[in-house]
Amino acid sequence: MSSRKRRPQEGVLLREWQHRIADGVASAIDLVSAAIIRAEGAEAKAALSDVVSLLLGHAEVHRMLARADGEALLDAAAYVHQLGCALRQSRLDMMKIRLTLDTERVPLQAERCWRLGLIVHDLIAMAAKHACFDARAGEIKVRLSRRGALVNCVVLDNGSRSVRSDARRWLRIDNDVARSLGGRVEQGIGSEFTSVVLSFPLTEREQQANQGMATRRMRLARRLKAKTANVTPLRPSPAATLPVAAEPIPSVGLNEEASSFRKPGDALGQLFSPSQHMAAQ
């Protein structure tokens, strides 16, 4: 049987498998929700409600990781944010691990955005499972950015690795997925940090979309600058008393937060350089 004939069949089987998993999780949510009604005592109801919240988080993670089809371009930043929110609800919040997302808008083809999501999910799950935070508050940071025709995604945590066998196996799988994007995954391990950098090139269509977005951003910035230049500033009366400006509150972004970790060299530091991005914590 040729590969062209196998691919549609594999797609049907994958969708059926995903549908059955979704049905199973939905059934579990219904059963636990019914148990909440029958439960006696506030403590039992609260515990069962926590289980429902976890199951809803897992259902959302599963939905986000369902294989994407179609020719439309997706915003990788929005996709990673939604995936991160689902991972918080399904795993990280209960483990008391803080997840910080710092992402730059990067239009990607739907299937390539899905592959990026698979790797990001695995790296976050791997950090949550294998990182040894000791007495430190657990933190995982994800940074998605574009440098020309290259996409960089950095997953950094402040834990050490005491057990690495499973982590190496997961990283091999992630490398296979990265190669399907034309990229690679590199890992750096220290006594109190672990970083993984995924890099892959944009396709020609993705480059055109990203360049168009950058051009529109520049035009908007120029228009705003021109409007600002045409505004005549108000001159206060000499007798007027000017209010004393409050001391600005410094903003803390991924740059400053990452300084609390030992960075794995100049390359990673460059990836954390300031850029146009949207951040969520």
Side-chain angles (χ1 to χ4, degrees), residues 65-141:
L65 295 181
R67 185 165 186 167
D69 295 318
E71 299 299 322
L73 295 176
L74 301 180
D75 180 10
Y79 182 83
V80 169
H81 272 257
Q82 293 179 43
L83 181 59
C85 290
L87 283 166
R88 288 190 186 106
Q89 184 179 2
S90 65
R91 182 190 299 252
L92 301 178
D93 287 348
M94 177 164 285
M95 299 177 70
K96 308 298 182 185
I97 297 175
R98 182 170 178 260
L99 175 65
T100 302
L101 304 172
D102 191 344
T103 57
E104 180 180 338
R105 292 189 64 188
V106 182
L108 295 177
Q109 292 172 232
E111 183 170 344
R112 285 165 54 82
C113 190
W114 167 68
R115 294 177 188 273
L116 168 65
L118 290 178
I119 297 175
V120 171
H121 169 270
D122 273 1
L123 294 179
I124 293 176
M126 181 173 62
K129 181 178 180 180
H130 296 284
C132 299
F133 297 108
D134 301 321
R136 300 184 298 274
E139 291 187 69
I140 300 174
K141 304 177 188 294

Side-chain angles (χ1 to χ4, degrees), residues 15-198:
R15 284 192 294 271
E16 179 63 23
W17 173 71
Q18 291 169 342
H19 179 69
R20 292 184 181 185
I21 291 178
D23 281 349
V25 176
S27 297
I29 292 173
D30 290 341
L31 290 172
V32 179
S33 299
I36 293 175
I37 299 174
R38 297 192 302 269
E40 297 181 0
E43 187 175 348
K45 289 181 180 293
L48 290 172
S49 296
D50 289 342
V51 173
V52 170
S53 180
L54 286 175
L55 289 173
L56 288 171
H58 282 290
E60 181 63 13
V61 169
H62 174 73
R63 187 186 70 82
M64 294 298 302
L65 295 181
R67 185 165 186 167
D69 295 318
E71 299 299 322
L73 295 176
L74 301 180
D75 180 10
Y79 182 83
V80 169
H81 272 257
Q82 293 179 43
L83 181 59
C85 290
L87 283 166
R88 288 190 186 106
Q89 184 179 2
S90 65
R91 182 190 299 252
L92 301 178
D93 287 348
M94 177 164 285
M95 299 177 70
K96 308 298 182 185
I97 297 175
R98 182 170 178 260
L99 175 65
T100 302
L101 304 172
D102 191 344
T103 57
E104 180 180 338
R105 292 189 64 188
V106 182
L108 295 177
Q109 292 172 232
E111 183 170 344
R112 285 165 54 82
C113 190
W114 167 68
R115 294 177 188 273
L116 168 65
L118 290 178
I119 297 175
V120 171
H121 169 270
D122 273 1
L123 294 179
I124 293 176
M126 181 173 62
K129 181 178 180 180
H130 296 284
C132 299
F133 297 108
D134 301 321
R136 300 184 298 274
E139 291 187 69
I140 300 174
K141 304 177 188 294
V142 178
R143 167 88 161 115
L144 177 68
S145 61
R146 179 179 64 85
R147 296 292 179 268
L150 189 68
V151 177
N152 291 312
C153 184
V154 183
V155 179
L156 177 71
D157 68 76
N158 66 335
S160 58
R161 293 279 192 266
S162 60
V163 181
R164 304 182 186 179
S165 57
D166 288 344
R168 289 197 189 99
R169 178 176 60 83
W170 284 20
L171 204 58
R172 284 197 297 269
I173 296 173
D174 291 332
N175 247 320
D176 290 339
V177 180
R179 280 194 287 270
S180 72
L181 293 169
R184 62 180 182 176
V185 171
E186 296 180 346
Q187 184 182 43
I189 299 176
S191 59
E192 295 182 357
F193 78 89
T194 298
S195 66
V196 182
V197 181
L198 163 66

